[in-house]
Amino acid sequence: MELMRSGFAGAPQGFLALVAGGAELGRATVVTRPSGGVVMCFFSDPSGGADRLRVLPSLPRPDLARDPARTGLGVAADLELIARVFGLNTAQIAEICGPVTRPTVYAWRDGAAPRPAKLARIHMLRRAALDWERSGFGVPGTAMTAPVIYEKSLFDLLRADPLDLAAIQFAGGRLAMEREMAARRTFADPFR
C-alpha cells in the first residue's frame, strides 16, 4: 500500500491522532492515548466518502471500565454472570474467588462489600466471563475439569493467581475446536 498523505490531527488533550491516506485505504484516522490504553480507529467508506466514517470499538481497560468502589448489586450481578457463563455452583465460585467460604459468597450476593483484593479478583473474573461470552464459547459443562493446557483444566486456570485472561481465552478456543471436531456431520448429496 502506498501512503499518499500522513500527519497529525487535533485530538482531545492527552490523546494523539494520526491521519493517513492511501490508494486502497481511503482515509484512516487513528486516535490513541500515548499510555497504550485506548485505541480507536475511524475508516472511511470504501467509496471514498469521508463523511461516512465507521468506528471500530476497542475493548475497555479493566481498570477504567469498572469503578473498584462499586459494590452491592454490582458484585452480585458480577458473581451471577461468572456462574452463568462458566456453569459454576456457589462452592466453585468461592474457590475461584479466593478461596473464600460459601457463606462469604452468599454475603456478597446479599450486598456485603468484598475486600479490595477480592473485589479486584471478582472484576477480573467478570472480564474473563465477558470475553468468554463474547467469543461464543458456551457453557463448558464437563469440559470444565478436563485438561486443556499443559495438563491444566479451565477450572485450574480460573483458580490461578494471577488470572491469565489470554490462557482462559485460548482454553475456550481449544474446547470449542474439540467440540466442533467431535460433532457428527452428515453431508448432503449435491447431485440429488
Side-chain angles (χ1 to χ4, degrees), residues 17-184:
L18 171 70
V19 179
E24 60 270 345
L25 179 66
R27 175 188 162 152
T29 304
V30 178
V31 180
T32 182
R33 181 178 296 164
S35 67
V38 178
V39 175
M40 295 176 285
C41 299
F42 303 95
F43 293 96
S44 67
D45 183 77
S47 67
D51 58 331
R52 296 176 58 192
L53 295 178
R54 293 181 290 146
V55 177
L56 302 178
S58 61
L59 292 175
R61 289 179 31 194
D63 55 339
L64 297 177
R66 308 272 300 172
D67 181 9
R70 182 175 163 240
T71 59
L73 292 177
V75 171
D78 291 349
L79 293 173
E80 177 59 33
L81 173 77
I82 295 163
R84 178 180 51 80
V85 168
F86 292 115
L88 302 173
N89 61 32
T90 304
Q92 291 169 322
I93 290 288
E95 195 169 340
I96 67 171
C97 283
V100 296
T101 62
R102 283 184 12 214
T104 302
V105 174
Y106 287 124
W108 291 343
R109 287 180 176 162
D110 291 336
R115 292 190 173 131
K118 299 297 181 195
L119 186 62
R121 174 88 180 167
I122 291 168
H123 288 283
M124 289 301 289
L125 286 166
R126 176 187 182 273
R127 182 168 176 209
L130 287 173
D131 291 346
W132 187 276
E133 191 173 50
R134 287 179 188 140
S135 298
F137 293 141
V139 179
T142 58
M144 176 63 79
T145 56
V148 181
I149 303 173
Y150 299 119
E151 301 303 317
K152 289 186 179 182
S153 67
L154 176 59
F155 192 68
D156 293 333
L157 294 173
L158 291 172
R159 285 189 313 196
D161 188 29
L163 204 60
D164 187 351
L165 297 175
I168 293 169
Q169 277 296 102
F170 180 79
R174 179 171 277 181
L175 291 173
M177 182 181 66
E178 288 174 1
R179 190 176 323 126
E180 184 69 24
M181 291 179 72
R184 295 186 70 97

